[in-house]
Amino acid sequence: MNKEQNVYVPYEYKNAPVPGGGFVTGLCFHPKERNILYARTDVGGVYRYDFHTRTWLSLMDHVKATEKWESYPLSIAVDPTHPGGIFTVAGDYIENNYICRSIDFGKNFEYFKVPAKIHGNAPGRGTGERLAIDPHNPNIVYFASLAEGLLISTNRGESFQRLPVIPKGGKEEHNLAFIWLDSRSQVDERCHTIVVSVSGQANSPGATIRGSSLYISRDAGNSFEALPGQPENQSFGSFPGFVGQRAAFSEGYLFITMAATGKPQSGWAGYSCDAGGDEHGCILRYQLSPKGEITEVNYVTPDLSFMGGGCDRVSKIAGFGGIDAMISHSGCLICSTQGSSREEAVLYTTDYGEHWFPVLYDLEIGIMDFQEVPYMKPEYNDHHNLLHWISDIKLDPFNPNRAVFNSGTGIFMTENLTNARKGEEVIFRPCCKGLEETVHMNIYSPPGGEVQLLDMIGDLGGFAFTDLTRPAENSFADENNHRYITCLNADYPDSTPELVAVSARGNWKGKTTGGILWSEDQCKTFIRLPDPVNISERIDRLIKAVRSPNTNPGWTAVSADAGTLVWCIADHFRLPAQAVVVTNDCGQTWTQTRIYDREQHQDTESSGTLKVFSDRIDPEVFYGFGQNSKLYISTDRACSFHQIDVPESFPVLELGNIEREPRTEIRVQSGKQGVIWLAVGKGGLWRLLIHKEGKKVDLERITSEGEEVFCQGMGKAAPGNSFDTLYVSGIIGSDYGFYRSFDEGRTWQRINSDQQMYGDIVSITGDPRCFGRVYIATASRGVLWGDPRASISRNEVEYEIRSKGKQISRNGRRTGDMD
């Protein structure tokens, strides 16, 4: 095939905004330069804040899906001797583990291998910082790793050596949570006092009880000893014991927040808020001399009586995560609870922790203004503050009124913090503009109606965008505004796209129950369809699991006339072939689909899988894909599926899973009967033509050998062209990128630059009503939409809205500017 390798069409990309929405794991101000603030996320890379535009700028837009390790930063540190100096460590925990070094505020990076496993989404990611630059000698870089102990570099990260944390008579600790350097302890142009936090596994006294977490070195890491006064092991949790979360220093006092996790999901590594479950905690205050001598130890744990706790050395209703000290005001610090069995709180002290007072708690203390991010409003979150996982909080070293904290759903800022000292309310607002790090599952652009984009998202649920420049008002919710979470897929008839089925998980608190949602107004409102019960023991077991919070419901498909709905019920990430059910009356009655093999024998015991799609024209026809690339067709509204022979040239893959590698994207082409497109990664792009009458398939590999296609979708044909425009992400020729084709893959045009990669790409589709527009769903950079640069400057675009057979047009304005 003729590949037009040199054809490049400039595109502009913007986010369909979902501000925040994911776990921001850490924040970092530059200590000596005004208005320099960075944030790290678990899967969305590192951001720098633009104080002038009040917008977060991504530092990872150059990251390719084939090199997505850079999307997973575990720690960040600034060079205190250089305003533009920033270091990050990021990796995939397997082969690609690097320190990333920049001297121009993250515009460009140098990369050096690190001999340690790194991943920004690993257990313990909420603690830190693990990366530290010696303020007296920026060539010295420390990394407190997850599995290889403490590492040191003397050449700005270009190579590392071990610096073992071994207490006298003990064993080396390998899993570290943070490192702190005392800048006062300079000897021979380097800090000699070092404090680290560890998981406590290596020096456990027995069973799963954690040993000491906090260790100090007074000789630049040559020896370590446990800090005194640490909370004693308790019986709380399956891995009892406290782990240091973060540290802050003020006028000779070192403050350390501590937490113990009740039921960690990750064993010894489950010591941060990201381990899940309730926590106990405390705050320790060490009076520390410049030589590292401990002259006093005190518990300065806040009194949590205002939230139903008490004034205890160790709180039994919350752990403590973030803490920071105000440089310009002695004795002023701020801290946060984490893992609270109530709601989370932010507290403030003016006397070195002797007395704390809350400045934010749920909706009772302080003010939370969510107007900029509608889905965060209390009315959509059970009338509570949605804050959770506040594991870091930072004070602006140049502005005592400004503080920022992280959460499991973005960043929040106050600019009137000193009001707290006057007994006045402190106002916090989302600081999430430009922060797009949500994980998206699938995207769809309907051929009609007000909705331009249907977006299925991890954790947040789903959004229906009627305006691509503004956040949707709320994610998918029930009649009481209780939100569903992670939506896996959606389907609708092309002829009546107002009718939408969605597979959704129930939320964490059990306010909604997972299953299949049905909307008749293009996702403005939903009903949950009744469950299929008493069909088989296996289906009953799976439905019981689906009804549990945050459990995958499976996959759904709707016939071309909306008369039939199919539910492939999930077993974790698999779609078992023996758990596919069908309804013709919106769930009032269900029947189990029958599966027949190539010899037309009914398969009643198969352990195989089946993911179902509907033909876009013929309401009688559905298609099924399973393990080992098995292909099925139904011509009786999914009552039965019959296996079709697949040529040996087609790659052998698992096609009946969800959310699993290797990723594939299957789409049935609109406007044509029996035409299916498959992106199968290294196997490239394929077109299938399935013949209903003969129950057979013709396959064609569209891309050449060696070319890889990870995602694909169709959009409106070019003017005068009879072919839908095909969009893909992958390697065409030898270059990875986004591509479009007007001739079903015979020739290609590249539609992104090297600075428009956006990390991990999970789904791509075109717009059936607006030629040239493409939608790109990522697992690291939100959901984006792109138009050719030449047309983006038009003030208005005509956008057809077909609804119930009528044609109207409206003007849709587009604003913003992002490459």
Side-chain angles (χ1 to χ4, degrees):
M1 296 181 184
N2 176 29
K3 311 295 182 185
E4 294 184 7
Q5 297 294 336
N6 296 321
V7 175
Y8 166 63
V9 179
Y11 260 62
E12 281 204 49
Y13 290 93
K14 302 180 179 71
N15 281 100
V18 186
F23 188 21
V24 176
T25 52
L27 300 154
C28 182
F29 279 101
H30 198 290
K32 296 183 179 180
E33 294 290 333
R34 187 182 298 271
N35 291 343
I36 298 177
L37 171 63
Y38 297 95
R40 60 176 163 98
T41 69
D42 53 4
V43 297
V46 174
Y47 285 79
R48 187 181 73 249
Y49 192 62
D50 185 324
F51 283 86
H52 177 67
T53 62
R54 305 179 72 85
T55 302
W56 289 97
L57 307 175
S58 171
L59 304 186
M60 62 144 286
D61 287 354
H62 62 281
V63 175
K64 300 177 182 179
T66 51
E67 300 170 353
K68 58 189 177 185
W69 58 265
E70 198 176 345
S71 303
Y72 312 131
L74 181 62
S75 189
I76 53 178
V78 295
D79 182 346
T81 68
H82 192 294
I86 177 176
F87 293 72
T88 76
V89 285
D92 60 13
Y93 210 75
I94 306 172
E95 295 181 358
N96 300 295
N97 303 290
Y98 289 87
I99 187 167
C100 315
R101 189 177 75 186
S102 173
I103 58 172
D104 57 6
F105 306 96
K107 295 178 183 177
N108 299 280
F109 284 96
E110 298 176 285
Y111 305 94
F112 303 95
K113 277 272 192 178
V114 178
K117 296 177 180 178
I118 301 170
H119 202 296
N121 203 31
R125 60 193 182 275
T127 64
E129 286 294 329
R130 288 180 167 86
L131 200 58
I133 314 299
D134 193 305
H136 306 292
N137 183 353
N139 289 319
I140 299 177
V141 181
Y142 295 92
F143 175 46
S145 75
L146 290 168
E148 283 76 23
L150 181 60
L151 305 178
I152 182 173
S153 170
T154 57
N155 54 9
R156 294 179 63 80
E158 295 183 19
S159 62
F160 282 89
Q161 297 81 41
R162 298 282 289 273
L163 196 62
V165 179
I166 306 175
K168 186 176 182 180
K171 300 177 182 178
E172 181 182 0
E173 292 283 355
H174 295 282
N175 187 327
L176 277 62
F178 73 68
I179 179 172
W180 175 81
L181 308 178
D182 189 345
S183 61
R184 304 171 304 161
S185 64
Q186 177 187 3
V187 178
D188 298 329
E189 296 186 347
R190 67 188 301 175
C191 293
H192 269 231
T193 298
I194 301 171
V195 174
V196 297
S197 169
V198 305
S199 71
Q201 178 179 2
N203 292 285
S204 165
T208 58
I209 300 173
R210 298 183 188 274
S212 296
S213 173
L214 304 175
Y215 290 90
I216 186 169
S217 172
R218 301 176 180 89
D219 54 11
N222 290 313
S223 63
F224 285 88
E225 65 180 58
L227 279 173
Q230 299 182 51
E232 296 179 358
N233 295 319
Q234 300 181 357
S235 59
F236 177 67
S238 51
F239 286 78
F242 291 81
V243 175
Q245 304 292 300
R246 293 186 184 263
F249 187 77
S250 177
E251 300 292 329
Y253 290 110
L254 175 64
F255 296 80
I256 298 177
T257 54
M258 306 287 288
T261 303
K263 294 182 179 180
Q265 300 172 357
S266 308
W268 291 102
Y271 48 73
S272 175
C273 61
D274 52 75
D278 295 339
E279 295 184 2
H280 292 180
C282 63
I283 299 180
L284 292 171
R285 186 183 70 189
Y286 291 94
Q287 191 167 13
L288 191 64
S289 77
K291 294 184 178 180
E293 298 165 342
I294 307 294
T295 57
E296 184 180 83
V297 184
N298 284 296
Y299 282 73
V300 290
T301 306
D303 181 351
L304 300 183
S305 298
F306 67 92
M307 53 190 286
C311 187
D312 303 312
R313 289 205 330 165
V314 175
S315 170
K316 292 182 174 59
I317 68 165
F320 293 89
I323 191 164
D324 200 17
M326 191 174 291
I327 296 174
S328 58
H329 291 73
S330 298
C332 292
L333 293 96
I334 196 167
C335 77
S336 65
T337 64
Q338 68 175 29
S340 171
S341 57
R342 292 3 181 221
E343 304 294 329
E344 303 294 4
V346 175
L347 302 104
Y348 189 70
T349 180
T350 59
D351 56 8
Y352 301 97
E354 292 292 336
H355 304 89
W356 296 86
F357 50 93
V359 295
L360 182 66
Y361 173 63
D362 197 16
L363 302 176
E364 299 175 15
I365 298 173
I367 297 175
M368 288 292 293
D369 181 356
F370 291 112
Q371 294 306 310
E372 293 180 14
V373 188
Y375 76 84
M376 295 184 179
K377 294 176 182 178
E379 54 262 43
Y380 304 137
N381 292 278
D382 198 28
H383 300 284
H384 282 283
N385 197 326
L386 85 169
L387 294 177
H388 62 288
W389 290 9
I390 308 179
S391 64
D392 195 13
I393 191 164
K394 290 294 193 296
L395 296 163
D396 188 330
F398 298 94
N399 183 349
N401 267 311
R402 181 180 290 134
V404 291
F405 65 79
N406 72 333
S407 75
T409 185
I411 298 171
F412 298 82
M413 179 183 287
T414 179
E415 294 183 305
N416 72 334
L417 181 61
T418 57
N419 278 18
R421 284 185 262 165
K422 298 179 287 186
E424 298 175 3
E425 286 190 307
V426 178
I427 303 172
F428 290 87
R429 295 182 174 90
C431 178
C432 297
K433 183 181 178 183
L435 184 70
E436 298 282 349
E437 54 130 354
T438 43
V439 175
H440 300 251
M441 317 301 289
N442 284 287
I443 50 173
Y444 311 89
S445 184
E450 293 184 37
V451 172
Q452 299 183 46
L453 178 66
L454 284 174
D455 184 15
M456 308 295 109
I457 309 182
D459 291 339
L460 288 184
F463 287 99
F465 287 96
T466 57
D467 184 339
L468 297 175
T469 68
R470 297 172 60 86
E473 176 65 20
N474 191 22
S475 59
F476 298 165
D478 67 10
E479 64 276 9
N480 297 313
N481 277 333
H482 296 312
R483 292 188 358 220
Y484 294 90
I485 58 172
T486 303
C487 293
L488 299 177
N489 88 302
D491 198 15
Y492 48 79
D494 290 344
S495 58
T496 50
E498 296 82 9
L499 307 177
V500 183
V502 176
S503 61
R505 296 183 192 173
N507 69 24
W508 294 279
K509 294 184 178 181
K511 298 292 184 179
T512 54
T513 302
I516 301 301
L517 313 181
W518 180 253
S519 175
E520 297 187 353
D521 52 15
Q522 212 165 34
C523 301
K524 292 178 183 177
T525 60
F526 288 95
I527 61 170
R528 181 184 179 276
L529 299 188
D531 291 330
V533 293
N534 300 322
I535 294 176
S536 74
E537 290 185 6
R538 183 175 193 177
I539 289 175
D540 284 348
R541 175 177 59 82
L542 295 178
I543 289 297
K544 182 179 179 181
V546 168
R547 290 171 175 171
S548 301
N550 196 24
T551 301
N552 278 345
W555 190 267
T556 190
V558 180
S559 64
D561 63 356
T564 300
L565 182 145
V566 179
W567 183 2
C568 307
I569 306 170
D571 187 352
H572 299 287
F573 298 101
R574 300 182 74 251
L575 300 173
Q578 300 304 316
V580 178
V581 293
V582 60
T583 180
N584 296 311
D585 53 14
C586 270
Q588 298 305 308
T589 58
W590 295 90
T591 57
Q592 184 176 355
T593 290
R594 302 185 303 276
I595 312 294
Y596 293 91
D597 62 20
R598 286 177 295 183
E599 286 72 39
Q600 298 305 305
H601 298 138
Q602 186 173 352
D603 187 351
T604 59
E605 302 295 334
S606 172
S607 61
T609 56
L610 191 69
K611 182 188 284 187
V612 174
F613 297 79
S614 64
D615 190 87
R616 309 314 292 176
I617 292 179
D618 191 334
E620 304 289 326
V621 177
F622 289 82
Y623 309 104
F625 296 85
Q627 68 182 27
N628 298 322
S629 295
K630 289 182 179 178
L631 175 62
Y632 299 83
I633 185 173
S634 171
T635 58
D636 56 7
R637 290 184 176 269
C639 291
S640 63
F641 280 82
H642 298 262
Q643 188 176 354
I644 300 176
D645 285 327
V646 176
E648 293 183 359
S649 59
F650 188 73
V652 177
L653 298 165
E654 171 57 87
L655 300 176
N657 280 351
I658 47 178
E659 293 188 74
R660 280 298 186 222
E661 300 286 354
R663 288 196 184 121
T664 58
E665 184 151 39
I666 304 170
R667 292 189 186 269
V668 183
Q669 186 169 351
S670 296
K672 293 187 178 181
Q673 186 169 336
V675 179
I676 305 174
W677 294 79
L678 287 85
V680 295
K682 292 186 177 182
L685 178 68
W686 292 74
R687 180 177 55 201
L688 280 60
L689 176 59
I690 299 180
H691 303 278
K692 173 183 176 181
E693 301 304 328
K695 292 185 174 64
K696 64 178 183 178
V697 61
D698 295 325
L699 286 85
E700 179 185 6
R701 179 169 180 160
I702 302 301
T703 50
S704 301
E705 287 291 333
E707 294 182 328
E708 304 177 22
V709 176
F710 307 110
C711 303
Q712 56 83 23
M714 293 283 190
K716 186 175 182 178
N721 199 341
S722 60
F723 296 117
D724 289 345
T725 303
L726 175 62
Y727 298 91
V728 303
S729 67
I731 300 172
I732 302 297
S734 59
D735 295 329
Y736 171 82
F738 312 149
Y739 294 85
R740 71 180 187 183
S741 174
F742 301 146
D743 51 17
E744 297 191 322
R746 282 182 280 276
T747 59
W748 296 97
Q749 297 176 346
R750 172 92 175 263
I751 58 172
N752 71 315
S753 71
D754 289 346
Q755 296 299 314
Q756 295 173 321
M757 294 296 182
Y758 308 118
D760 192 6
I761 310 300
V762 296
S763 184
I764 189 169
T765 194
D767 191 310
R769 294 175 279 179
C770 182
F771 165 67
R773 182 168 296 170
V774 62
Y775 299 101
I776 297 170
T778 81
S780 49
R781 190 61 175 79
V783 62
L784 300 119
W785 57 284
D787 280 336
R789 190 183 296 273
S791 66
I792 202 80
S793 60
R794 298 172 186 167
N795 292 326
E796 298 181 332
V797 285
E798 285 292 307
Y799 200 91
E800 288 185 344
I801 300 178
R802 292 186 289 272
S803 180
K804 297 182 180 179
K806 299 179 181 179
Q807 283 196 9
I808 61 175
S809 65
R810 92 179 162 182
N811 293 325
R813 293 187 179 274
R814 294 179 291 182
T815 60
D817 183 23
M818 188 197 76
D819 286 337

